[in-house]
Amino acid sequence: MAQLRAQLILPVSVKEMAKDVSEYLPFLKPGIKTKELVIFTQTFDLLTWLLPRCDRFPKNQRFVVTHRLQCAALDFQEAIFEANAQAGPKRLEYLISADACQNKLRLYLRLSRHLKWLSGGHYEHASRMVASIGRLLGGWIKQTRSSGARSAPR
């Protein structure tokens, strides 16, 4: 029984796990390796950095601005997951939705800095992360639009 428990908890090897973890993540398209999807990694890094910072915002704003900031960040992540699971015009729809969520995220981060809930260094760090993710998203939108234009009937 102990041997069975050890097999369930511990992976066979780290090398095997690093090959392709997409089989463990059902929201990713089959056959796409996670290491190729940098936008997911960077968005996850942003969330793990941002969400604990939100706990330090004033309590009287936690259900107003803080809640909207967190929702915008989480909605962005959900939209890119949904976009990855779709193809064609539906994918573009989700990517445009993700872009709108990212714009809201920028707004709430700027507001947090203006109200001095984020220090200048924290705001700069968050802005760089969001800008990097934005470049990846813009490239994905551009690629999706160009592949849709080629396959569209004339």
Side-chain angles (χ1 to χ4, degrees):
M1 189 66 160
Q3 186 180 21
L4 177 63
R5 220 179 290 141
Q7 288 175 348
L8 294 174
I9 296 171
L10 299 174
V12 177
S13 75
V14 174
K15 226 180 210 182
E16 260 182 57
M17 284 181 58
K19 285 181 187 174
D20 180 16
V21 296
S22 63
E23 65 185 274
Y24 304 110
L25 304 172
F27 49 79
L28 296 177
K29 256 183 137 174
I32 295 179
K33 296 188 185 322
T34 306
K35 63 183 177 184
E36 297 171 338
L37 303 173
V38 178
I39 193 168
F40 291 141
T41 307
Q42 288 188 9
T43 302
F44 182 79
D45 292 344
L46 173 66
L47 286 170
T48 57
W49 181 88
L50 179 65
L51 295 178
R53 297 289 174 296
C54 291
D55 288 339
R56 297 182 188 137
F57 287 4
K59 285 186 182 185
N60 64 345
Q61 294 299 318
R62 286 212 183 125
F63 296 107
V64 184
V65 178
T66 308
H67 178 72
R68 289 193 179 219
L69 173 64
Q70 291 172 333
C71 285
L74 292 168
D75 289 347
F76 174 80
Q77 186 178 39
E78 288 174 9
I80 62 172
F81 284 154
E82 290 293 334
N84 190 53
Q86 304 297 324
K90 197 74 169 162
R91 174 176 284 174
L92 186 58
E93 194 178 303
Y94 281 109
L95 290 174
I96 291 170
S97 173
D99 189 44
C101 291
Q102 190 180 39
N103 287 333
K104 290 177 193 175
L105 179 61
R106 284 185 179 116
L107 168 72
Y108 298 131
L109 284 170
R110 214 173 13 232
L111 182 61
S112 299
R113 174 59 191 137
H114 180 75
L115 296 172
K116 297 184 169 70
W117 299 341
L118 284 176
S119 69
H122 285 157
Y123 176 70
E124 183 179 347
H125 180 70
S127 295
R128 287 178 194 232
M129 293 174 87
V130 171
S132 175
I133 293 167
R135 284 189 295 277
L136 293 168
L137 179 64
W140 195 3
I141 290 172
K142 185 177 178 181
Q143 184 268 332
T144 301
R145 280 187 174 142
S146 67
S147 66
R150 281 181 283 182
S151 62
R154 295 184 188 239

